[in-house]
Amino acid sequence: MNTRRPLGIGLISVGWMGRLHSKAYSSIRYAYPEAQFSPRLVVAADAVQANADYAVDVLGYERSTLDFRQVLADPEVDVVSICAPNFLHREFALAAAAAGKPFWIEKPTGRDASETRDIVDAAAAAGLVTGVGFTYRQAPAIQHAKRLIADGRLGEITNVKVSMLADYSADPLGAHTWRYETARAGSGVLGDLLSHGIDLATQLVAPIGDVTALTQTVITERPKPAGVTVGHVQASADDPKLPVENEDYASMLVKFAGSRAVGFLEASRVAVGPRSDYAIEVFGTNGSLRWSFASMNELEVCLGTDGDTHGYTTVLAGPGDGDYSHFQPGPGIAMGFDDLKTIEAFQFLQSVVTGTQVAPSVGDALAAARVVAAAEASAADGAWHHVESVPATV
Ligand SMILES: NC(=O)c1ccc[n+]([C@@H]2O[C@H](COP(=O)([O-])OP(=O)(O)OC[C@H]3O[C@@H](n4cnc5c(N)ncnc54)[C@H](O)[C@@H]3O)[C@@H](O)[C@H]2O)c1
């Protein structure tokens, strides 16, 4: 019989991601029965009573509170999930570090790169491992792509195309939430969506070294409903309108560091049609591949320039690709977004019990935040901007 070390989970913010982190912790026992730890949902905090109640009534936490400090002070809490809006990331992460609690925090991990840096420094000073919600890198087909590229099967990588196209803000009646305010979100689609794309490109190819970018705000004001909002919700045309303060669309040309590879990355939250189409294409001198979240268990691959095999072949993810075998016994059976969060949860807790950083870290969040900062600077002045590298040890 497996005697697992109990790990007390504290959750700060019971919105969309807070609920999904909780589900992910609860799913570990099914996906990773060999795990040497057993998550126990101890206490959740949310500023809204209805969300705090939801944590107990639906998610299964033993207790809830309106004050995040009570989560960090709770002696039965070993680790913390921070799923708050961006403007609270720094405050909550620094408090978690001061309390000596390892934390799994959502991207973009602060409103800007200086806040992310403070979070990195606090975690390092406290000697803590961390987790960051770079969800898409966990897709088994992406792990397959990473292996092909690392093994040199594509030859030298020449260029990369990333497109993160969503419609979650395409309806002008989509509610004005914290996401549209610079004081509470920081950047718009750059931090919210393109940070994922930056992470994918960095994972598959190399860190981004230089950037030139442009941004655009398409829907310039939105209605603000009274009351609680969770995730993306609708408002009414009668609600008062507030200005949208950050970008709906961003694109950038990039040069990768230490490589001749170049790339084009774009993101939109107002793209009518694609819904949640997050895709990366990587081209090399001897082959290429492309992946899209819309069919996330598939990878299109072309290896070699031989006439008989030229063109894409669809490869279905299967056992051997990332953590696929923890979810399905045979190849080609679709996994979903929530499964990727379960992998994140497992990697975070595995990092905690082994003291070895296996999950995406706040250092990875800093690398993405610095690319976003360079893109914002370029969008403002039209020039190329160099991206300060993040040492591998961070
Ligand atoms: N990894 C991913 O794919 C992914 C997807 C969506 C969101 N996110 C990130 O997750 C974070 C949260 O986004 P969301 O969509 O869950 O937001 P949300 O609006 O659904 O939830 C935010 C929650 O924070 C709570 N909150 C506000 N102030 C608080 C306080 N002082 N103390 C405690 N709780 C407080 C709100 O009441 C709400 O329940 C953001 O940083 C976002 O960028 C990541």
Side-chain angles (χ1 to χ4, degrees), residues 50-74:
N51 293 341
D53 292 345
Y54 186 96
V56 173
D57 297 343
V58 178
L59 302 176
Y61 283 85
E62 294 167 19
R63 43 191 181 273
S64 68
T65 171
L66 295 175
D67 183 357
F68 80 95
R69 282 171 286 261
Q70 288 187 17
V71 173
L72 298 177
D74 194 316

Side-chain angles (χ1 to χ4, degrees), residues 13 16-17 46 51 86 89 106-107 133 135 178-179 231:
S13 295
W16 176 21
M17 279 303 113
D46 199 285
N51 293 341
N86 305 348
H89 288 175
E106 272 304 334
K107 41 56 62 180
T135 311
W178 61 268
R179 282 188 162 78

Side-chain angles (χ1 to χ4, degrees), residues 12-19 45-48 51 66-68 82-89 92 106-109 133-136 177-179 191-192 196 228-232 337 341 344:
I12 302 177
S13 295
V14 193
W16 176 21
M17 279 303 113
R19 295 168 194 206
D46 199 285
V48 174
N51 293 341
L66 295 175
D67 183 357
F68 80 95
I82 300 173
C83 299
N86 305 348
F87 73 102
L88 294 167
H89 288 175
F92 292 175
E106 272 304 334
K107 41 56 62 180
T109 315
F134 282 134
T135 311
Y136 302 100
T177 64
W178 61 268
R179 282 188 162 78
D192 196 37
H196 283 296
V228 180
T229 60
V230 170
H232 307 291
F337 180 72
K341 279 322 239 194
E344 265 180 54

